[in-house]
């Protein structure tokens, strides 16, 4: 059985559309540039597509010195740097964690607030902020991801699901970082340690899926699939599972086409 890395996905802003790259550098908290930015409300609490499905219509794309966010509904854009150093530290809340962040400039916040019809602030996680991943599953850091720095899914798993759905969906519904080609559906359930190229990943926890998977990532419209179908054969203690959360070594690079091996 031949397995390899099929695609790599980076999401600069939590819960916005991301982009694919041919290769990526691993950092101490995930893929370089992945989820280092996040939108928060006026109380500093994170917001996602769970609350604002229209966030699905804001897509990020890399530029020379940073990245661009495009509202694909009308083409409006805003450009952002990869990092932010204002020196004006604030705090933000993501799930149960309160972390120190940098606030974006008012004109940027106004753009997002207008696009999403809600008062919002864009925040950045500086290198000095260390947010641990879920400790009971191993030591490590993460950025603004839900709990772990990597999400790994097999293409075979999506292919199997699409055979069961009335209308096929794309992998973007599941927002993975790494997609594996080859093998059998849901093989990742049984993986505990893998190597992609020279980098070791430990798969620590199945990923429980939420309403974001039912959100069309170009229109923001919501339906019942794929959660309705997944619940018929992927339910574990009232959670629907798809993909595996993972942690990794702190250094290295990975590239599309790198072989994946177990152990």
């Amino acid at each position: 059985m031949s397995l390899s890395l099929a695609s790599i996905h980076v999401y600069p802003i939590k819960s916005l559309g991301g982009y694919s790259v041919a290769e990526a550098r691993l950092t101490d908290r995930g893929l370089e540039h992945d989820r280092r930015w996040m939108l928060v409300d006026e109380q500093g609490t994170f917001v996602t597509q769970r609350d604002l499905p229209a966030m699905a219509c804001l897509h990020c794309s890399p530029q020379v010195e940073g990245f661009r966010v495009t509202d694909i509904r009308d083409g409006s854009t805003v450009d952002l740097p990869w990092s932010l150093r204002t020196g004006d530290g604030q705090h933000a809340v993501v799930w149960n964690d309160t972390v120190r962040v940098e606030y974006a400039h008012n004109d940027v916040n106004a753009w997002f607030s207008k696009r999403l019809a809600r008062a919002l602030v864009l925040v950045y996680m500086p290198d000095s902020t260390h947010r641990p991943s879920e400790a009971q599953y191993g030591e490590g850091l993460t950025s603004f991801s839900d709990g772990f720095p990597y999400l790994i899914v097999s293409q075979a798993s999506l292919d199997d699901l699409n055979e069961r759905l009335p209308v096929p969906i794309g992998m973007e519904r599941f927002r993975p970082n790494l997609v594996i080609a080859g093998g059998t559906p849901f093989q990742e359930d049984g993986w505990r340690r893998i190597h992609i190229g020279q980098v070791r990943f430990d798969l620590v926890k199945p990923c429980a899926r939420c309403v974001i998977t039912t959100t069309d990532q170009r229109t923001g419209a919501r339906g019942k699939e794929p959660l309705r179908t997944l619940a018929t054969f992927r339910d574990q203690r009232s959670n629907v599972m798809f993909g595996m959360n993972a942690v990794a070594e702190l250094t290295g690079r990975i590239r599309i086409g790198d072989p994946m091996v177990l152990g």
Side-chain angles (χ1 to χ4, degrees):
M1 180 174 61
S2 177
L3 302 171
S4 64
L5 182 58
S7 59
I8 306 168
H9 305 273
V10 178
Y11 310 90
I13 301 179
K14 182 178 179 67
S15 218
L16 267 57
Y19 58 86
S20 300
V21 294
E23 63 178 271
R25 184 175 73 88
L26 279 66
T27 74
D28 63 348
R29 64 200 72 193
L31 296 178
E32 186 175 31
H33 306 313
D34 189 60
R35 296 177 175 93
R36 295 297 295 266
W37 297 81
M38 177 176 72
L39 287 164
V40 301
D41 62 18
E42 293 180 298
Q43 288 71 49
T45 300
F46 78 115
V47 296
T48 72
Q49 289 184 39
R50 299 174 183 87
D51 317 294
L52 296 175
M55 291 174 72
C57 300
L58 304 184
H59 289 201
C60 301
S61 57
Q63 306 291 308
V64 175
E65 299 295 335
F67 65 101
R68 173 169 293 171
V69 183
T70 301
D71 188 334
I72 62 173
R73 294 170 295 186
D74 63 6
S76 178
T77 65
V78 64
D79 289 337
L80 293 163
W82 289 124
S83 62
L84 184 67
R85 296 177 180 85
T86 65
D88 183 21
Q90 305 285 340
H91 286 88
V93 176
V94 51
W95 294 111
N96 295 321
D97 298 324
T98 299
V99 296
R100 194 163 182 81
V101 298
E102 302 273 0
Y103 273 36
H105 297 295
N106 289 337
D107 56 343
V108 171
N109 299 327
W111 187 90
F112 282 99
S113 298
K114 179 180 179 180
R115 296 286 117 192
L116 296 170
R118 182 171 172 181
L120 298 170
V121 175
L122 184 68
V123 303
Y124 173 77
M125 176 184 283
D127 289 343
S128 57
T129 293
H130 291 171
R131 180 186 174 222
S133 56
E134 294 186 27
Q136 65 266 41
Y137 298 102
E139 296 182 359
L141 299 178
T142 190
S143 56
F144 287 133
S145 66
D146 280 350
F148 299 93
Y150 300 96
L151 176 63
I152 299 176
V153 177
S154 291
Q155 180 63 46
S157 301
L158 179 63
D159 294 343
D160 179 276
L161 172 60
N162 276 333
E163 290 180 357
R164 304 167 188 258
L165 292 175
V167 178
I169 60 173
M171 186 65 83
E172 70 276 2
R173 293 283 189 102
F174 297 99
R175 302 178 64 79
N177 292 112
L178 308 177
V179 178
I180 304 300
T184 58
F186 307 106
Q187 59 195 337
E188 58 269 33
D189 293 348
W191 295 343
R192 293 298 171 261
R193 177 170 293 175
I194 64 174
H195 281 79
I196 299 175
Q198 301 300 313
V199 179
R200 189 190 82 202
F201 293 85
D202 293 321
L203 282 69
V204 296
K205 182 179 180 291
C207 185
R209 310 316 304 223
C210 70
V211 69
I212 291 177
T213 63
T214 70
T215 308
D216 187 305
Q217 295 298 297
R218 294 198 64 83
T219 67
R222 281 209 173 126
K224 297 184 181 298
E225 297 292 4
L227 288 183
R228 179 168 58 184
T229 295
L230 280 170
T232 65
F233 72 110
R234 296 290 297 172
D235 181 82
Q236 295 182 22
R237 299 179 181 177
S238 299
N239 287 313
V240 173
M241 303 299 185
F242 191 92
M244 291 290 290
N245 292 297
V247 297
E249 296 173 321
L250 300 184
T251 60
R253 298 187 74 88
I254 53 175
R255 299 170 180 81
I256 290 177
D258 278 349
M260 196 222 89
V261 297
L262 299 177

